[in-house]
Amino acid sequence: MTSIALSPDALNADADPVPLVIDVDGTLIKTDLLYESALQFVAKHPLQVHRLPLWLSNGKAHLKTALADRIEVNGHTIPLRHEVVELIAEAKAQGRPVFLASASERRWVQAIADAIGPLAGVFATDAATNLEGDRKAAALEAAFGAGGFDYVGNQDVDIPVWRKARRAIVVAETSAFESRVLRALPDAEVLARPRTQLRRYVKALRVHQWAKNVLVFLPLLASHRFTLEDVLAALLAFVCFSLAASSAYILNDLLDLPADREHRTKSRRPFAAGDVPVLHGVAMVPALAAAAFLTALLLPPRFAVILALYYASTIVYSLILKRRVLVDVITLAGLYTIRVFGGVAALSMAWSPWLMMFSLFLFLSLAAVKRCSELIDRQKAGKEPPPGRGYHFEDLRVMLPLGVAAGYGAVAVVALYLNSPEVRALYEHPNRLWLLCPIVLYWISRILILCNRGQMHEDPVVFATTDKVSLLTAAAGIAVVVFSA
C-alpha cells in the first residue's frame, strides 16, 4: 500500500482551502534522491556495486527501500528550488495545507519535509509501491478527490497527476517539455523555467584544474627538445590528461556530494549546487574518458598505458584510497608524478631516475600541503575534520613536518643531480645551475608558510599557476637554466 503520513491538523482539515501538493525530485529539490543515493552507495560500498541491479530486478520500490536502509539523506543541505520554496511559504501564509508527494522513498522525503519546516504530510514510495505516475494520481485522488488539490511537478510522468488536480503548476527545465505539457493541459501554469547553461557544464569540467597537467611539459623542458613534433606530442598529452582528469573530477564530485555541500567553496560546484543534473554527470564520465583514450591513439602506445594507469588510479583513489590516512597523500603524489612520466612517454624518452626522485619528493610535499590546507581551513571555521578522510586536527603536527621533509628532500635531489654527468653533458655552464637550489628552497618554504597560515589554495599546483610570486619564482628558475645553457 502507498505510504502516506498525515499530521493531526491535516486529518481534520476542511476541503477548503485546497491543499498544495509538491513533487520532490527535480521540483522542490534541484536533484534526484534516487540517483544521489545510488552514487553514495557506490562511494561507501564500492565492492558491492553488483547489488544495485539485483535490487532493481525486484522493482524500483525494492531498490529504493534497499538504498534507504543504507543511505541517509541530509535534507538541510540538499539544494532547493527557490521558486517552489516561495510558493510553499505563500501557501502556508494563506493557511493552506502543504504536502510532499514523491516517488522517492518515504524516509528520504520525510527528511526533506523536516528540513523545510512543518508540513501537513507526505506521500511517498514504500517497499510495496513505487509512487509515480498513475499510482501517485490515484493516491492523491483517494486522499483529496478529483480536482481537490493543486499539484506542482516537473516531468512527463506527472501528467496523469495534473489531470486529477485542480491546478497544474509546472517546473519546465526544457522548452520541449513545456510545450508538451501545455498541449496536453492548456490551463497549466509554468512556475519556473530553469535552464542548465553551457558554462555550468564547463565549470563541472574544472578546467582550472587542468593547470596541473602542465607537468607533462616538464620532460620537454628538461631535455631541451623543442622540435615541432615534440611540442605537438606534449600538447596532445596535455589534452589527454585534461580530458581524463575532468572525467575523474566529475566522478569524484558525484561521489562526494554530501561532503561537498558542507564545504565553504565546494558547495558551489555544479553538481553539489544542483546546477547540473546528476544523471548528466554520470553520462559525462565515460564520454570524457573515451575522448581521452581515443586522442591517446595519436601518441606512442606507452603513453596510453601511462594514461590508463593514471585514470585507474584516480578511480581507485575516489572510491577507496582517499579514505585511507597517508595512503591518500602518497597516491596524490603518485598522480602528480604520473603526469610527468606521461610527458616522458609522449616524447618516447628514456626514463630518468633523477626526474623520478625529484617528482616523488616534491609532489609528496605538495600532497601533504593539500591535506594540511583542508584540515587548517576546517579548523579555523570551527568545523569537524573532513568526513570520511580519517584525519584529525592533531595530525597536523605530523603532516606539516612531512611536507617540510619531502620538500627539502626534493631540493637535495636537485643538488645531487647538479653533480651528475648528465648535467655536464647538457649545460655549458653547469655551476650556474646551483642558483636553482635557493630558488626551489624559497618556493617550497613559502608554500609551507602559507599553508600553516591557512592562506593556501587546497591544491598547491593550481595555486602556483595563479600566484604572482610563484610565477616570478618559476621565471627566475627558467632564467637560470637559460643562463647556464
Side-chain angles (χ1 to χ4, degrees):
M1 183 175 178
T2 300
S3 173
I4 172 173
L6 301 177
S7 69
D9 292 339
L11 291 172
N12 297 323
D14 295 327
D16 187 34
V18 174
L20 175 66
V21 183
I22 310 287
D23 177 48
V24 175
D25 298 300
T27 302
L28 172 59
I29 66 176
K30 295 181 179 180
T31 185
D32 187 290
L33 296 177
L34 173 59
Y35 297 142
E36 287 209 9
S37 298
L39 287 166
Q40 288 312 299
F41 179 78
V42 172
K44 292 182 177 181
H45 310 286
L47 301 181
Q48 298 183 36
V49 175
H50 63 281
R51 302 183 72 178
L52 292 175
L54 294 177
W55 290 333
L56 181 59
S57 67
N58 292 318
K60 292 182 72 173
H62 179 78
L63 170 65
K64 293 173 184 178
T65 301
L67 285 171
D69 289 340
R70 296 160 175 83
I71 303 297
E72 294 182 2
V73 167
N74 185 348
H76 296 280
T77 60
I78 294 287
L80 304 177
R81 202 173 299 286
H82 71 87
E83 298 95 339
V84 180
V85 173
E86 290 173 1
L87 183 65
I88 291 173
E90 181 182 340
K92 287 183 177 181
Q94 295 170 354
R96 299 178 64 187
V98 179
F99 294 82
L100 298 184
S102 174
S104 283
E105 210 274 343
R106 178 186 56 80
R107 284 164 286 182
W108 297 338
V109 179
Q110 191 62 56
I112 301 296
D114 293 342
I116 65 175
L119 298 179
V122 300
F123 296 78
T125 290
D126 59 20
T129 304
N130 185 46
L131 194 72
E132 67 177 357
D134 292 329
R135 293 189 185 94
K136 185 187 289 188
L140 295 178
E141 183 180 17
F144 307 118
F149 62 96
D150 296 342
Y151 180 72
V152 188
N154 76 309
Q155 291 183 319
D156 289 291
V157 74
D158 292 315
I159 290 179
V161 188
W162 280 319
R163 293 189 189 280
K164 299 293 184 180
R166 183 187 69 166
R167 291 172 60 204
I169 305 173
V170 182
V171 173
E173 296 198 16
T174 67
S175 299
F177 171 70
E178 181 178 345
S179 299
R180 287 197 304 274
V181 173
L182 293 178
R183 282 197 301 270
L185 303 162
D187 295 330
E189 305 168 33
V190 179
L191 174 67
R193 295 182 175 88
R195 300 288 188 265
T196 304
Q197 301 173 355
L198 178 61
R199 63 181 177 83
R200 292 173 177 170
Y201 286 94
V202 174
K203 185 178 179 181
L205 297 177
R206 288 207 240 168
V207 174
H208 66 284
Q209 294 280 5
W210 291 3
K212 289 184 284 190
N213 299 322
V214 300
L215 294 172
V216 301
F217 293 101
L218 185 58
L220 185 75
L221 297 173
S223 64
H224 300 181
R225 290 172 53 173
F226 300 111
T227 65
L228 179 60
E229 181 182 357
D230 287 336
V231 171
L232 288 176
L235 285 171
L236 282 174
F238 175 84
V239 170
C240 290
F241 272 100
S242 297
L243 292 171
S246 288
S247 174
Y249 291 143
I250 291 173
L251 177 61
N252 187 71
D253 287 351
L254 293 173
L255 298 177
D256 266 358
L257 288 173
D260 284 355
R261 288 180 179 138
E262 296 181 5
H263 193 274
R264 177 173 52 86
T265 57
K266 293 179 181 179
S267 59
R268 295 193 289 269
R269 289 177 175 174
F271 298 109
D275 293 333
V276 176
V278 168
L279 200 57
H280 290 192
V282 172
M284 291 168 70
V285 170
L288 289 165
F293 284 99
L294 286 173
T295 306
L297 296 177
L298 301 173
L299 293 168
R302 188 172 62 166
F303 174 80
V305 174
I306 297 295
L307 184 65
L309 176 62
Y310 165 80
Y311 191 72
S313 299
T314 59
I315 300 301
V316 175
Y317 172 80
S318 295
L319 292 173
I320 300 173
L321 299 182
K322 70 180 180 182
R323 297 175 179 83
R324 303 290 188 268
V325 175
L326 291 181
V327 174
D328 65 329
V329 173
I330 294 171
T331 304
L332 282 174
L335 291 174
Y336 288 132
T337 304
I338 287 174
R339 290 175 168 94
V340 175
F341 286 93
V344 171
L347 299 177
S348 297
M349 292 173 55
W351 302 106
S352 168
W354 293 109
L355 186 58
M356 178 175 285
M357 286 188 291
F358 173 76
S359 299
L360 286 175
F361 279 109
L362 176 65
F363 297 135
L364 178 60
S365 176
L366 297 183
V369 166
K370 177 180 171 69
R371 193 60 69 233
C372 289
S373 296
E374 188 176 38
L375 285 168
I376 291 170
D377 184 61
R378 292 184 70 90
Q379 187 178 47
K380 285 192 169 186
K383 297 182 178 180
E384 295 294 322
R389 298 286 191 180
Y391 287 96
H392 305 286
F393 291 133
E394 54 265 30
D395 294 335
L396 286 168
R397 294 195 294 267
V398 175
M399 295 300 293
L400 278 171
L402 172 64
V404 173
Y408 291 168
V411 179
V413 171
V414 172
L416 292 171
Y417 172 67
L418 295 179
N419 284 308
S420 69
E422 290 92 334
V423 170
R424 289 189 290 274
L426 282 173
Y427 295 91
E428 187 175 347
H429 306 285
N431 288 335
R432 297 175 183 175
L433 288 172
W434 281 97
L435 291 172
L436 288 174
C437 288
I439 292 173
V440 178
L441 276 171
Y442 166 76
W443 183 77
I444 290 175
S445 300
R446 179 172 177 271
I447 289 289
L448 290 163
I449 288 174
L450 291 176
C451 171
N452 190 56
R453 292 177 178 175
Q455 299 174 355
M456 169 59 56
H457 189 289
E458 285 192 2
D459 194 308
V461 175
V462 176
F463 171 83
T465 62
T466 57
D467 173 54
K468 290 182 180 179
V469 175
S470 295
L471 294 174
L472 287 172
T473 304
I478 292 172
V480 168
V481 172
V482 172
F483 185 59
S484 304

